[in-house]
Amino acid sequence: MSTLTICIVILFCIGYFCIAIESVTKINKAAIALLMFVGCWTLFMIDPASYVAAAVGDMKAAAVSEVIEHHLGSTATTLFFLMGAMTIVELVDQNGGFNFVRDTLQTKSKRSLLWRIAFMTFILSAILDNLTTSIVMIMILRKLVSDKTDRIIYAALVIISANSGGAFSPIGDVTTIMLWNKGVITAAGVITEIFIPSLVSMVIPAYILSLSLKGTLEPVQETTVIEEADALSPAQRKVIFFLGVGGLIFVPIFKTITHLPPFVGILLVLGVLWTVTEIFYTGIHQESEDTADNRNTQKRVSKMLSRIDMDTILFFLGILMAVGCLETIGVLTMLGKGLDVTFAGNHYLVTGIIGVLSSIVDNVPLVAGCMGMYPVQAAGDLAVDGIFWQLLAYCAGVGGSMLIIGSAAGVVVMGLEKITFGWYMKKITWIAFVGYLAGILCYWLEKTFLF
């Protein structure tokens, strides 16, 4: 490993450490992530030719620009998906779309609510995706739980349940989508063999967390009263709900049909919802007074876009671009090969450690690196639906729950509920790790005695 590579890795580690102690330094994690991004790529520019063969002579700037733009393109798909999903969910929520879901989950018992939240999140994340599901469930939690201390416990379980639910579905997580599109796992194989381990990895943490919740919930005070004069009709609210939630369900179908990236589908749904709500509110604008019209204006998409949490968006940008630099200099591939040699091809240990690493760095480049390192074989652990590929789908998905910045769901919940890295690591990391190991053990029992 060259001196320059070591410097880039050290800079990344320093930045990561600063993010971890955000509650101590009081420096916004987005600022640190952006400095990591710029710092890593600036060091990279000292000698890009050692990493990119084309970056020599007059071709240096063009070659490096192409590499950075490649990573920026991959990052932008995540950012646009996030922005679109957050806006859609906020739009549905502001217009009362999730009221009936809230009513379905309504209970006075804290423990009863925990189990309802856990299973609903688990199921929804397999149908939609873990990122969108997390946003939806946090919006619902805000309507059900007034106490901040209790709500962040529920929010932590949302992260665990969303990642576990996404791991057994070919469309539930970006890594399973990658593996499915590559043809190394099949939809039937991953659902039948990973479902129970994923369920176990959710149920055990849910049980442990339930022990810390006792008593009944305090009623949440409604902060907004919707008046008939300026509100949408019940029929219009239902249209917005079904367009929003139905559109989110349609996104993976749209991807399957068109083979376009998921963010294109989410922007399609946002465009349709935007158009429909503009038509609805234009009618109200013509009939309402100025004050009522101002309240309606706040619920339009154009206003909601201005309220997007840019801290989260910029944090995503910085982290993913910094990890992209590590991928370009070959650190991730080198690490994967080292694991394979060290553990003599024991794929339970290799994928298990990859899962732990996915809680530290983005699981997408880790899985991409593994797909490049290990060729598909006709039989054995590396065959289609083999132990390695199925465990990789499970470990890369569920492993991200161990740290709050280890998954897209975690980062979003961190931003929405302002959960600190330190609190999550102290209170939740070991619980998620226990569930993670239990799922791997469950998979081993399946392969040993059932399949």
Side-chain angles (χ1 to χ4, degrees), residues 363-379:
N363 56 7
V364 173
L366 281 176
V367 172
C370 289
M371 289 192 296
M373 286 165 47
Y374 300 98
V376 180
Q377 298 178 359

PDB file of all heavy atoms in Angstrom, residues 363-379:
ATOM      1  N   ASN A 363     -22.534  -0.118   1.978  1.00  0.00           N
ATOM      2  CA  ASN A 363     -22.566  -1.520   1.560  1.00  0.00           C
ATOM      3  C   ASN A 363     -22.586  -1.699   0.046  1.00  0.00           C
ATOM      4  O   ASN A 363     -22.261  -2.777  -0.452  1.00  0.00           O
ATOM      5  CB  ASN A 363     -23.764  -2.249   2.193  1.00  0.00           C
ATOM      6  CG  ASN A 363     -25.105  -1.582   1.899  1.00  0.00           C
ATOM      7  OD1 ASN A 363     -25.194  -0.649   1.122  1.00  0.00           O
ATOM      8  ND2 ASN A 363     -26.146  -2.074   2.546  1.00  0.00           N
ATOM      9  N   VAL A 364     -22.932  -0.647  -0.679  1.00  0.00           N
ATOM     10  CA  VAL A 364     -22.989  -0.766  -2.138  1.00  0.00           C
ATOM     11  C   VAL A 364     -21.617  -1.054  -2.749  1.00  0.00           C
ATOM     12  O   VAL A 364     -21.456  -2.026  -3.500  1.00  0.00           O
ATOM     13  CB  VAL A 364     -23.631   0.485  -2.767  1.00  0.00           C
ATOM     14  CG1 VAL A 364     -23.525   0.438  -4.284  1.00  0.00           C
ATOM     15  CG2 VAL A 364     -25.089   0.593  -2.345  1.00  0.00           C
ATOM     16  N   PRO A 365     -20.577  -0.248  -2.464  1.00  0.00           N
ATOM     17  CA  PRO A 365     -19.266  -0.587  -3.026  1.00  0.00           C
ATOM     18  C   PRO A 365     -18.706  -1.892  -2.483  1.00  0.00           C
ATOM     19  O   PRO A 365     -17.966  -2.595  -3.189  1.00  0.00           O
ATOM     20  CB  PRO A 365     -18.381   0.598  -2.627  1.00  0.00           C
ATOM     21  CG  PRO A 365     -19.091   1.266  -1.502  1.00  0.00           C
ATOM     22  CD  PRO A 365     -20.541   1.048  -1.762  1.00  0.00           C
ATOM     23  N   LEU A 366     -19.058  -2.255  -1.239  1.00  0.00           N
ATOM     24  CA  LEU A 366     -18.600  -3.543  -0.702  1.00  0.00           C
ATOM     25  C   LEU A 366     -19.177  -4.699  -1.508  1.00  0.00           C
ATOM     26  O   LEU A 366     -18.459  -5.629  -1.891  1.00  0.00           O
ATOM     27  CB  LEU A 366     -19.015  -3.679   0.767  1.00  0.00           C
ATOM     28  CG  LEU A 366     -18.174  -2.940   1.804  1.00  0.00           C
ATOM     29  CD1 LEU A 366     -18.785  -3.114   3.187  1.00  0.00           C
ATOM     30  CD2 LEU A 366     -16.743  -3.448   1.803  1.00  0.00           C
ATOM     31  N   VAL A 367     -20.465  -4.652  -1.763  1.00  0.00           N
ATOM     32  CA  VAL A 367     -21.111  -5.712  -2.535  1.00  0.00           C
ATOM     33  C   VAL A 367     -20.621  -5.698  -3.983  1.00  0.00           C
ATOM     34  O   VAL A 367     -20.371  -6.753  -4.581  1.00  0.00           O
ATOM     35  CB  VAL A 367     -22.646  -5.569  -2.480  1.00  0.00           C
ATOM     36  CG1 VAL A 367     -23.325  -6.542  -3.440  1.00  0.00           C
ATOM     37  CG2 VAL A 367     -23.145  -5.814  -1.058  1.00  0.00           C
ATOM     38  N   ALA A 368     -20.454  -4.488  -4.534  1.00  0.00           N
ATOM     39  CA  ALA A 368     -19.929  -4.389  -5.903  1.00  0.00           C
ATOM     40  C   ALA A 368     -18.531  -4.986  -5.983  1.00  0.00           C
ATOM     41  O   ALA A 368     -18.195  -5.692  -6.950  1.00  0.00           O
ATOM     42  CB  ALA A 368     -19.913  -2.926  -6.346  1.00  0.00           C
ATOM     43  N   GLY A 369     -17.700  -4.714  -4.973  1.00  0.00           N
ATOM     44  CA  GLY A 369     -16.357  -5.276  -4.947  1.00  0.00           C
ATOM     45  C   GLY A 369     -16.386  -6.794  -4.857  1.00  0.00           C
ATOM     46  O   GLY A 369     -15.614  -7.490  -5.522  1.00  0.00           O
ATOM     47  N   CYS A 370     -17.300  -7.330  -4.042  1.00  0.00           N
ATOM     48  CA  CYS A 370     -17.417  -8.786  -3.906  1.00  0.00           C
ATOM     49  C   CYS A 370     -17.856  -9.430  -5.215  1.00  0.00           C
ATOM     50  O   CYS A 370     -17.364 -10.507  -5.583  1.00  0.00           O
ATOM     51  CB  CYS A 370     -18.417  -9.133  -2.804  1.00  0.00           C
ATOM     52  SG  CYS A 370     -17.833  -8.783  -1.138  1.00  0.00           S
ATOM     53  N   MET A 371     -18.758  -8.777  -5.929  1.00  0.00           N
ATOM     54  CA  MET A 371     -19.212  -9.339  -7.203  1.00  0.00           C
ATOM     55  C   MET A 371     -18.074  -9.367  -8.223  1.00  0.00           C
ATOM     56  O   MET A 371     -18.016 -10.255  -9.076  1.00  0.00           O
ATOM     57  CB  MET A 371     -20.406  -8.536  -7.744  1.00  0.00           C
ATOM     58  CG  MET A 371     -21.692  -8.744  -6.958  1.00  0.00           C
ATOM     59  SD  MET A 371     -23.173  -8.081  -7.767  1.00  0.00           S
ATOM     60  CE  MET A 371     -22.808  -6.332  -7.800  1.00  0.00           C
ATOM     61  N   GLY A 372     -17.165  -8.388  -8.116  1.00  0.00           N
ATOM     62  CA  GLY A 372     -16.022  -8.379  -9.022  1.00  0.00           C
ATOM     63  C   GLY A 372     -14.928  -9.348  -8.616  1.00  0.00           C
ATOM     64  O   GLY A 372     -14.192  -9.870  -9.457  1.00  0.00           O
ATOM     65  N   MET A 373     -14.816  -9.620  -7.318  1.00  0.00           N
ATOM     66  CA  MET A 373     -13.767 -10.490  -6.804  1.00  0.00           C
ATOM     67  C   MET A 373     -14.079 -11.973  -6.989  1.00  0.00           C
ATOM     68  O   MET A 373     -13.193 -12.779  -7.232  1.00  0.00           O
ATOM     69  CB  MET A 373     -13.552 -10.228  -5.307  1.00  0.00           C
ATOM     70  CG  MET A 373     -12.839  -8.937  -4.981  1.00  0.00           C
ATOM     71  SD  MET A 373     -13.037  -8.525  -3.234  1.00  0.00           S
ATOM     72  CE  MET A 373     -12.649 -10.085  -2.453  1.00  0.00           C
ATOM     73  N   TYR A 374     -15.349 -12.317  -6.822  1.00  0.00           N
ATOM     74  CA  TYR A 374     -15.719 -13.728  -6.807  1.00  0.00           C
ATOM     75  C   TYR A 374     -16.554 -14.086  -8.036  1.00  0.00           C
ATOM     76  O   TYR A 374     -17.714 -13.678  -8.134  1.00  0.00           O
ATOM     77  CB  TYR A 374     -16.520 -14.051  -5.539  1.00  0.00           C
ATOM     78  CG  TYR A 374     -15.776 -13.782  -4.261  1.00  0.00           C
ATOM     79  CD1 TYR A 374     -15.984 -12.598  -3.542  1.00  0.00           C
ATOM     80  CD2 TYR A 374     -14.869 -14.698  -3.758  1.00  0.00           C
ATOM     81  CE1 TYR A 374     -15.302 -12.348  -2.358  1.00  0.00           C
ATOM     82  CE2 TYR A 374     -14.173 -14.457  -2.579  1.00  0.00           C
ATOM     83  CZ  TYR A 374     -14.402 -13.277  -1.882  1.00  0.00           C
ATOM     84  OH  TYR A 374     -13.724 -13.033  -0.714  1.00  0.00           O
ATOM     85  N   PRO A 375     -16.017 -14.857  -8.967  1.00  0.00           N
ATOM     86  CA  PRO A 375     -16.785 -15.267 -10.145  1.00  0.00           C
ATOM     87  C   PRO A 375     -17.834 -16.313  -9.780  1.00  0.00           C
ATOM     88  O   PRO A 375     -17.628 -17.126  -8.866  1.00  0.00           O
ATOM     89  CB  PRO A 375     -15.720 -15.862 -11.072  1.00  0.00           C
ATOM     90  CG  PRO A 375     -14.643 -16.331 -10.142  1.00  0.00           C
ATOM     91  CD  PRO A 375     -14.634 -15.355  -9.005  1.00  0.00           C
ATOM     92  N   VAL A 376     -18.955 -16.268 -10.472  1.00  0.00           N
ATOM     93  CA  VAL A 376     -20.019 -17.247 -10.241  1.00  0.00           C
ATOM     94  C   VAL A 376     -19.549 -18.617 -10.728  1.00  0.00           C
ATOM     95  O   VAL A 376     -18.983 -18.741 -11.814  1.00  0.00           O
ATOM     96  CB  VAL A 376     -21.314 -16.848 -10.972  1.00  0.00           C
ATOM     97  CG1 VAL A 376     -22.414 -17.877 -10.721  1.00  0.00           C
ATOM     98  CG2 VAL A 376     -21.770 -15.473 -10.526  1.00  0.00           C
ATOM     99  N   GLN A 377     -19.801 -19.644  -9.932  1.00  0.00           N
ATOM    100  CA  GLN A 377     -19.392 -21.002 -10.285  1.00  0.00           C
ATOM    101  C   GLN A 377     -20.609 -21.870 -10.550  1.00  0.00           C
ATOM    102  O   GLN A 377     -21.736 -21.521 -10.184  1.00  0.00           O
ATOM    103  CB  GLN A 377     -18.538 -21.605  -9.161  1.00  0.00           C
ATOM    104  CG  GLN A 377     -17.239 -20.840  -8.912  1.00  0.00           C
ATOM    105  CD  GLN A 377     -16.419 -21.418  -7.770  1.00  0.00           C
ATOM    106  OE1 GLN A 377     -16.823 -22.388  -7.130  1.00  0.00           O
ATOM    107  NE2 GLN A 377     -15.261 -20.818  -7.500  1.00  0.00           N
ATOM    108  N   ALA A 378     -20.374 -23.011 -11.165  1.00  0.00           N
ATOM    109  CA  ALA A 378     -21.476 -23.910 -11.525  1.00  0.00           C
ATOM    110  C   ALA A 378     -22.050 -24.611 -10.302  1.00  0.00           C
ATOM    111  O   ALA A 378     -23.230 -24.982 -10.279  1.00  0.00           O
ATOM    112  CB  ALA A 378     -20.987 -24.941 -12.543  1.00  0.00           C
ATOM    113  N   ALA A 379     -21.236 -24.816  -9.275  1.00  0.00           N
ATOM    114  CA  ALA A 379     -21.693 -25.504  -8.074  1.00  0.00           C
ATOM    115  C   ALA A 379     -20.934 -24.976  -6.867  1.00  0.00           C
ATOM    116  O   ALA A 379     -19.937 -24.266  -6.998  1.00  0.00           O
ATOM    117  CB  ALA A 379     -21.481 -27.021  -8.224  1.00  0.00           C
TER     118      ALA A 379
END
